[in-house]
Amino acid sequence: MTDISPPEHLIQRRTLHEEVVTRLRDMIIDGTLETGSRINESELGPRLGVSRTPLREALRTLASEGLIELVRSKGAVVRRFGIEDVAEMLESLKAIEGFAARVGATRAGEAEIAAIIARHDEMVRCYEGRERLAYYKLNQSIHTAIVALAHNASLAELHALVQGRLKRIRYIGNHAPEKWAGAMADHERMADALKRRDGDALARALEDHMDNTLARVRDVL
């Protein structure tokens, strides 16, 4: 039988919906669309070069991710979280990622671990080059990939839901050089534990990372 699957090196084209969602998500993460602000569709559509229909579809997607709220009297508003909300969500991530680390260290294949280490190395290069948004996206993908090591789809789904709501918060937590350096040091601990397949050490590094993240974001909420 002839293999007709596309070569892995080919760039996969994204739909207009995916492009708009990604652009809006990035604008929320980097603060272009400020927390608590109303999204003006009549201004934002032309700015992105899209009509109101794909824009509204994208806003609904971001609402399902918890990044915006659809308020009847105001329309779409960039969601604001208080310290109590953030603490609860980080506590949830702490439990999910800690469990995933402990079981994933034994369940994961060598290729899965190697892929995470490769992402980590690329993230280090972004950190050294001060490419903050690129660093952040790799950072988040590493957390997602660690949870995936548990080979538990339900767990991964719960993690994606909570992590999605914390995107802006996690990004601004690295606004100061010393905080960014602290986050990078946390990830070095994770990478070292993962290379050794030490599930307990990886879990402790992740759990400490969540506690440190809460401390890093307190003054920016």
Side-chain angles (χ1 to χ4, degrees), residues 8 10 31 53 55 63-64 70 83 85 93 98 111 113 124 134 140 148 150-151 154 175 177-178 184 190 194 202 206:
E8 292 184 359
L10 289 183
T53 297
L55 178 59
S64 71
L70 300 177
I83 188 63
D85 301 315
L93 289 183
I113 291 178
V124 171
Q140 294 293 277
H151 297 174
S154 296
H175 70 287
E178 66 277 9
M184 188 67 251
M190 295 175 211
L194 187 59
L202 178 58
L206 285 160

Side-chain angles (χ1 to χ4, degrees), residues 111-146:
E112 291 175 290
I113 291 178
I116 294 176
I117 298 304
R119 290 185 194 182
H120 171 81
D121 292 343
E122 180 62 25
M123 187 180 71
V124 171
R125 287 190 285 272
C126 290
Y127 171 74
E128 293 172 345
R130 292 301 184 265
E131 299 173 39
R132 190 175 169 197
L133 186 57
Y135 166 94
Y136 168 82
K137 289 184 176 183
L138 284 164
N139 179 302
Q140 294 293 277
S141 74
I142 288 170
H143 285 276
T144 297
I146 289 175

Side-chain angles (χ1 to χ4, degrees), residues 146-158:
I146 289 175
V147 172
L149 298 181
H151 297 174
N152 184 318
S154 296
L155 196 70
E157 185 177 355
L158 288 171

Side-chain angles (χ1 to χ4, degrees), residues 18 24 40 49 71 74 92 96 109 119 129 166 169 184 186 202 205:
E18 291 169 330
L24 288 175
N40 189 324
V71 182
K74 294 183 178 180
S92 298
I96 293 170
R119 290 185 194 182
L166 281 169
I169 302 299
M184 188 67 251
D186 289 348
L202 178 58

Side-chain angles (χ1 to χ4, degrees), residues 165-218:
R165 293 177 179 174
L166 281 169
K167 286 183 182 295
R168 169 64 181 161
I169 302 299
R170 299 286 289 276
Y171 180 78
I172 62 177
N174 295 335
H175 70 287
E178 66 277 9
K179 294 185 177 184
W180 195 357
M184 188 67 251
D186 289 348
H187 270 266
E188 292 285 12
R189 279 183 62 195
M190 295 175 211
D192 178 67
L194 187 59
K195 289 175 184 176
R196 294 184 284 108
R197 281 187 177 266
D198 188 334
D200 287 335
L202 178 58
R204 287 193 299 271
L206 285 160
E207 290 161 355
D208 289 346
H209 182 58
M210 294 306 161
D211 291 339
N212 294 339
T213 297
L214 181 60
R216 283 190 282 265
V217 303
R218 281 188 178 277

